[in-house]
Amino acid sequence: MAATIHTLGELRQARLHARPVKQEIRDNLVRKLKTGEPLFPGIIGYDDTVVPQLVNAILSKHNFILLGLRGQAKSRILRGLVDLLDDQIPVVPGCEIHDDPLAPLCSSCRARIAREGEDMPIAWLPRPARFVEKLATPDVTIADMLGDIDPIKAAQAGLNLSDELTMHYGLLPRANRGIFAINELPDLAGKIQVGLFNILQEGDVQIKGYPVRLKLDVMMVFTANPEDYTARGKIITPLKDRIGSEIRTHYPATRQNALAITKQEAWTDRTTAGGLKIEIPEFVREVVEELAFQARADRKIDKRSGVSQRLPITTLELVVSNAERRALANDESLVVPRVTDLYAALPSITGKFELEYEGELKGAETIARDLIRSSVGNVFSGTFEGQDSRTVVEWFDLGGSLPLSDSTAAVDVVSQTSGVQGLRELASHVGLKPNSPAPVVAAAVDFVLEGLYAQKKIGRSDERGYSAAEASPRRGPRREEPMIDEQFQIPGSKKKYYN
Ligand SMILES: [Zn+2]
């Protein structure tokens, strides 16, 4: 249809009357519900919770707010609303507020239509251009949000109060006939909230003492941290009143959902020069995911700010990178991450949570290490439930030790551990085949050793690698304190343990 309509006259003949934006979004949602099209592609784990509430809010033509902690896909949901807009809509070309050629708001468009009549060309605006997003911060001004006027020009022209010729439009007018998303709404200063409310409710607002009239057509959507939003005085009551629905988001309820999100978001599908293949064991993915669950439950970590799903996503990326680095250094063609690679991912972990006072005392790195260890322990217990690890533990109790590190080549891990009775059998429980390549075997063995270490059945130290547990009744040689020269590693030395 759009391809054949180029002028105001043609548009009028086609009887393409624009609908208010909330009606348009509602109509498109209804159509998708009828045909069973996916509503929010890529949003995982919200099918029975958030999505039904969103649908109801849109059917009700509400402005709405998503309340949730960081990393709960709030912004992503709001951006997904773009898919519910028409492919394109007719606009007056060049109009900053995307005026409808059949019902223009601004006086310059009205003047132009009067001048050019039915021959006036029209333009078609694609839907991504109809989504405006702003992160609220305390320094956002009325000029940013609504616009500014030049008072001298306004006075000189003797313009009346409904004239907006001297107006420089802000973000909200530019979102006219579209969606305006404000992230972290409570961070917006009170008087900006008043301005937003006035323009939405009354269609007018005072700017620098001049009344400005703008009957905008906008769907307003917001996000906020629940505690900030409900805190007294953070949101002015009339604005809160105009937000039709409050919808709570949440972190993935199950490890299965969390795994699916991370799988979708993490960049692991890489092609490395030299054609290295990447194979991520399921237990590595599970440990990475468990890390987020553990962190969210840890009382040393601030619950109010939450632990974003970006934690497992970026962690998995670093885990794969560390495995990639090891494979390149050892000239291996198959990249298989190990659970010990999580220690190399500390840079993606420590910045992803805020600490409570007790946590501050321990330090982010110590807490991250504790979280890794307990995550490994948790997944290990689940995977190896009912499996007997006694022969392996005994080997260490009798004085055996394995000086492995995250840079040890897969073949070396396999050969060094081949003498440990029962270890390979235990490791095969994660699905090893007789012909599994060395990096796959190494990762499985590494998982068992880290699992036993997490369960405190064996010990691990910088000097000796894996050895008997300190508290073991028949313990091996006492674990030595690190000597001073251990602190100064020789540059280029391959010795690099994860502790
Ligand atoms: Zn206009």
Side-chain angles (χ1 to χ4, degrees):
M1 181 78 91
T4 61
I5 299 174
H6 306 288
T7 65
L8 180 60
E10 287 164 3
L11 183 66
R12 210 185 294 282
Q13 272 178 359
R15 296 182 187 276
L16 274 183
H17 293 289
R19 292 156 296 172
V21 63
K22 285 180 190 161
Q23 183 67 45
E24 173 188 334
I25 290 175
R26 186 194 135 88
D27 289 349
N28 289 327
L29 177 69
V30 167
R31 185 179 46 75
K32 286 194 176 197
L33 286 169
K34 274 186 182 166
T35 58
E37 265 179 76
L39 300 178
F40 296 93
I43 302 289
I44 296 168
Y46 281 173
D47 291 354
D48 301 324
T49 52
V50 177
V51 171
Q53 295 188 29
L54 271 172
V55 167
N56 292 348
I58 295 168
L59 290 177
S60 307
K61 300 203 277 187
H62 283 172
N63 298 314
F64 65 83
I65 185 162
L66 298 177
L67 296 180
L69 302 179
R70 56 178 170 173
Q72 293 186 344
K74 299 189 296 295
S75 309
R76 195 187 180 121
I77 291 171
L78 297 189
R79 285 175 206 141
L81 294 171
V82 172
D83 292 343
L84 294 172
L85 292 167
D86 287 349
D87 281 345
Q88 45 186 2
I89 54 167
V91 293
V92 177
C95 175
E96 287 179 325
I97 62 170
H98 304 145
D99 260 327
D100 178 0
L102 298 175
L105 286 181
C106 76
S107 50
S108 66
C109 284
R110 288 199 298 271
R112 183 171 173 186
I113 289 166
R115 212 166 48 237
E116 301 179 28
E118 300 296 278
D119 293 336
M120 186 193 75
I122 60 156
W124 290 88
L125 187 71
R127 61 187 178 194
R130 297 168 64 199
F131 182 81
V132 177
E133 190 175 21
K134 177 72 185 161
L135 174 66
T137 52
D139 60 346
V140 170
T141 62
I142 286 273
D144 298 331
M145 270 305 174
L146 302 176
D148 206 357
I149 55 173
D150 181 344
I152 296 167
K153 231 169 125 187
Q156 278 172 348
L159 297 168
N160 66 35
L161 53 86
S162 64
D163 210 314
E164 67 299 313
L165 276 175
T166 53
M167 179 104 184
H168 173 77
Y169 293 116
L171 289 168
L172 180 64
R174 285 167 195 274
N176 187 36
R177 303 180 70 201
I179 300 164
F180 189 37
I182 300 179
N183 288 308
E184 305 303 335
L185 179 64
D187 287 343
L188 214 54
K191 63 176 180 180
I192 318 289
Q193 294 182 26
V194 173
L196 274 183
F197 165 72
N198 283 339
I199 210 91
L200 283 171
Q201 183 70 16
E202 319 291 342
D204 57 35
V205 65
Q206 285 217 351
I207 295 175
K208 287 185 179 162
Y210 288 82
V212 175
R213 171 143 292 220
L214 280 172
K215 285 282 181 199
L216 298 175
D217 172 27
V218 180
M219 177 174 187
M220 294 283 289
V221 289
F222 310 93
T223 70
N225 178 301
E227 280 204 25
D228 290 348
Y229 187 70
T230 48
R232 209 179 168 79
K234 283 275 206 162
I235 309 283
I236 60 155
T237 315
L239 183 61
K240 218 170 191 172
D241 225 31
R242 251 197 87 89
I243 299 174
S245 291
E246 290 175 18
I247 299 168
R248 293 255 173 177
T249 57
H250 54 83
Y251 287 123
T254 63
R255 201 192 275 166
Q256 225 40 46
N257 279 340
L259 280 166
I261 295 171
T262 302
K263 212 165 203 167
Q264 172 181 282
E265 301 296 323
W267 183 61
T268 57
D269 193 11
R270 312 174 179 184
T271 34
T272 308
L276 267 63
K277 227 183 109 211
I278 296 169
E279 197 178 310
I280 307 171
E282 202 55 26
F283 55 82
V284 171
R285 290 185 186 278
E286 285 183 25
V287 171
V288 168
E289 223 49 67
E290 182 61 19
L291 195 60
F293 281 86
Q294 295 274 332
R296 284 168 197 148
D298 194 316
R299 59 192 166 75
K300 294 185 287 305
I301 291 172
D302 182 11
K303 295 267 179 303
R304 284 151 303 182
S305 63
V307 177
S308 165
Q309 191 60 25
R310 283 181 281 272
L311 181 141
I313 293 166
T314 50
T315 298
L316 186 64
E317 287 170 346
L318 282 188
V319 162
V320 170
S321 295
N322 199 55
E324 216 175 356
R325 200 167 57 83
R326 171 177 58 242
L328 290 166
N330 293 308
D331 201 19
E332 295 167 345
S333 59
L334 181 62
V335 178
V336 183
R338 305 173 188 166
V339 292
T340 42
D341 289 323
L342 263 86
Y343 291 96
L346 284 174
S348 73
I349 301 171
T350 49
K352 299 288 190 305
F353 46 71
E354 309 288 336
L355 295 171
E356 296 283 7
Y357 179 67
E358 195 195 337
E360 298 273 10
L361 295 179
K362 290 192 85 175
E365 192 168 323
T366 307
I367 287 177
R369 285 179 185 282
D370 290 351
L371 287 171
I372 294 173
R373 189 169 172 177
S374 58
S375 302
V376 173
N378 221 318
V379 176
F380 180 76
S381 312
T383 314
F384 287 84
E385 209 189 339
Q387 300 295 310
D388 191 355
S389 61
R390 269 177 303 183
T391 49
V392 177
V393 175
E394 264 168 25
W395 185 87
F396 288 101
D397 283 347
L398 291 170
S401 68
L402 291 171
L404 304 174
S405 84
D406 68 344
S407 56
T408 310
V411 283
D412 294 339
V413 173
V414 173
S415 66
Q416 286 190 54
T417 58
S418 61
V420 185
Q421 212 192 351
L423 180 55
R424 180 72 184 266
E425 289 73 13
L426 201 54
S428 66
H429 189 67
V430 294
L432 291 185
K433 295 178 194 78
N435 59 347
S436 287
V440 174
V441 178
V445 164
D446 174 85
F447 181 35
V448 171
L449 293 172
E450 277 299 300
L452 294 175
Y453 166 64
Q455 293 185 337
K456 301 196 168 93
K457 288 180 177 165
I458 64 172
R460 171 153 69 62
S461 68
D462 280 2
E463 313 84 65
R464 295 167 48 81
Y466 296 99
S467 58
E470 270 188 275
S472 166
R474 278 191 292 155
R475 70 174 172 221
R478 200 181 164 75
R479 190 176 137 171
E480 294 152 38
E481 292 303 314
M483 288 181 296
I484 296 297
D485 61 355
E486 282 286 331
Q487 315 279 334
F488 303 97
Q489 289 191 5
I490 304 149
S493 153
K494 274 223 167 182
K495 186 173 181 339
K496 194 193 138 282
Y497 298 125
Y498 4 91
N499 241 350

